[in-house]
Amino acid sequence: MNTVLDSLLNIFFPSRCPLCGSNSDRARYNPICTSCWDSMGKYSGPVCGICGIPTVSSFTTVCGSCIKSRPPFSGMLFYGAYEGALKKSIHLLKFSGVRRLSKPLGLLLSELPVPEADGIIPVPLHPERLRQREFNQTALIARNLSQKLKIPLALNALMKIKETSPQTGIPRTERLRNVKNAYSASPEKVSGRDLLLIDDVITTGATVSECSRILMKAGAKKVTIIALARSMPKQLS
Ligand SMILES: [Zn+2]
Ligand SMILES: [Zn+2]
């Protein structure tokens, strides 16, 4: 949506879209221009009804891996493929500290068919990592989603208690081992609750699986994963 104020602001204080370099037409609330923002397509292909992994056939409702071993969460929703403008936006927020992107990105999540819940929990960072990075991008996105959906944000319900090596470039089994017991949940904050667990990017799902396992162990009734982006399996990309 473009307002007169946006147009005036852009005449007097032109600001460039960080993705394409052209003048951003709505810089007041989103540094990314309309054309780049609209290029973030919502994924609409077939997915596994539990873990959300894109599937080749629309006739498969649950993937082989979930049939073999059911994940500790009940469902996963994600906005789009981890590529293009969505990927760049997440990078700008996460690594370049463009914090005001957390609002439009949080609003993107609110466009998903998010189920009713008692609390929203962002995947936490280890306190030491949080100190270095100064903010948890997932918590910023979760706060905006919480405000939009009027579901309370349950900060500190889930904590990261063990620093882990980066998950990038290691296979799923090793990723699971890497994050095993790295989190701790507070039973009084999660017990009997329907929870939404928020993450920015899902790659193999090892982190959100482990977080869900810990939340369920602490007495949560149900955990649904809500993510901005998901890496596409090789056969689909
Ligand atoms: Zn642009
Ligand atoms: Zn699955």
Side-chain angles (χ1 to χ4, degrees), residues 135-168:
F135 67 99
N136 176 356
Q137 77 285 349
T138 306
L140 296 181
I141 294 165
R143 173 167 287 127
N144 281 295
L145 183 66
S146 152
Q147 283 165 356
K148 175 79 180 167
L149 300 182
K150 311 229 171 347
I151 298 173
L153 187 64
L155 282 178
N156 303 329
L158 184 68
M159 311 281 276
K160 191 164 190 193
I161 51 170
K162 197 177 86 185
E163 186 57 296
T164 50
S165 40
Q167 293 278 69
T168 32

Side-chain angles (χ1 to χ4, degrees), residues 165-175 178 203-204 231 234:
S165 40
Q167 293 278 69
T168 32
I170 57 173
R172 183 176 155 83
T173 42
E174 240 166 90
R175 281 172 180 247
N178 191 24
T203 307
T204 63
S231 310
K234 284 201 176 65

Side-chain angles (χ1 to χ4, degrees), residues 48-53 62-67 71:
C48 165
I50 300 173
C51 73
I53 195 162
V62 175
C63 78
S65 153
C66 288
I67 291 172

Side-chain angles (χ1 to χ4, degrees), residues 16-24 31-37:
R16 303 222 166 248
C17 165
L19 302 191
C20 67
S22 70
N23 273 358
S24 185
I32 292 171
C33 75
T34 307
S35 141
C36 287
W37 193 254

Side-chain angles (χ1 to χ4, degrees), residues 109-120:
L109 291 185
S110 71
E111 288 178 24
L112 295 170
V114 179
E116 280 189 33
D118 305 312
I120 292 184

